[in-house]
Amino acid sequence: MSEETIKEVFDIIVNMEVVRAQKEQPEFDESDASSSIVDALNIVTVALEDRQSEIDNLKETNKELLISLQEVSRYQSALDISSIVSIGDQNGNITYVNDMFCQISGYEKEELIGQNHNILKSDQHKRIFWDGMWQIISQGNIWHNEIMNLNKEGIGYWVDTTIVPFFNSQGEIVSYLSMGHDITKRKLQEEEAREYHLQLESINKNLEDFAHTVSHDLKSPLNNAKGLVSIIEASMSEDQPAEVKEYLSLLNETNDKMRSLIDGILQYSKASGRDAKLDRILLEPFIQEVANTLTAKGKAKLIFKNTLPEISYNETVLKQVVSNLMSNAIKFNDKDQCIIEFSSRMDDHYYHISIADNGPGVAKEYQEDMFKLFNKVNKDTTKDSSGVGLATVKKIINEAGGNIWVDSTLGHGTKFTFTVRIKPKVHW
């Protein structure tokens, strides 16, 4: 407070005290007047100090409020730049939209304010969808989902939307804030991927049906040929030339190889774990059981280097995998006794199951093509092989979400390792 102001206040107080003293006392006492003036000045000083403190507090509050308003403004600017924003009343009538909302919807603000949000509604969502939304937000809860809207031209667009209720001081909902992000591109890509997947499934199904039909139809003439050869062999006399018998034997052998090839194609077309149910399988007794069913029973010695796990797999297709790998180990073994070793390990997501033999091994340059259909690494014509078995094994394992590879050195045997998910897919 300035000196002039203090002096004015002081003069007023003095005059008031003088007048009061003259009215109340017959004789004016200057000492009493001075004392009253001092008391009054003290009261004024305290009042002014309190007032100044209030002013200082108010300034500090205004400063904090200004900072808060600036922060809110920054948040709003960031939200307007990054999101599609609208505000609606209790009935869904639009009271505010930002520029991005107008841009994606194709409407001007004046066309939207006062309109209901239904102006953007598409036929993508059923009534139960909207009823569920209103049930959640009308109870004061936040709702989040993906909505397909229609713009002014009737073209659909997708928004990943969050709706937040706003309350008044009485706890009543007065409005709803809707924030969203344009996900139209992502939804279109998902739809394209879904259609592409359906097309692939249809193509695979047609190929499987085709392979099954062709394989089945090819068996009929082979059966007829085998029957004719048998008739010829039965009707031949003992003095027939040796060459004729040899040719018939070769014809029978060729017929059997062709039948084996057709059976392999049929097996490959059927090999699929995509829709197979899962079984809990203890590997060691399962492998022992498969070994007992092989035609070369007793020709191989099985060694389990460590305890094999219990896995979730379809029993039928796993039997194909193990049987194929064991049969190859026995068929192509060049030692006095075939030894097959089984071992396993695990990482965070997979069991690694290994099947190793003591056979002749496979050269490095041939290993990459071992799993290709109709590929024959071993060129020994005395060994019956269609080149389908390992391709079938790989197909089964891949469809189960695993992988298979080979590690082999000439003269030191071959080891196949395949992976099995610890937590398998529900559908392969």
Side-chain angles (χ1 to χ4, degrees), residues 187-204:
K187 297 294 287 188
L188 290 174
Q189 290 173 341
E190 289 176 356
E191 182 62 28
E192 289 175 359
R194 185 161 46 250
E195 290 179 0
Y196 182 66
H197 179 72
L198 291 174
Q199 289 175 2
L200 285 180
E201 283 194 338
S202 177
I203 291 171
N204 286 334

Side-chain angles (χ1 to χ4, degrees), residues 82-84 100 104 124-125 129 143-149 156-162 179-191 194:
S82 62
S83 301
I84 302 164
M100 189 171 287
I104 194 170
Q124 177 69 28
H125 310 287
F129 176 87
W143 180 86
H144 174 260
N145 213 321
E146 297 175 352
I147 299 177
M148 180 182 177
N149 291 327
Y157 64 94
W158 283 89
V159 181
D160 186 354
T161 305
T162 300
M179 302 169 289
H181 301 281
D182 183 9
I183 57 170
T184 305
K185 184 177 180 180
R186 192 199 83 196
K187 297 294 287 188
L188 290 174
Q189 290 173 341
E190 289 176 356
E191 182 62 28
R194 185 161 46 250

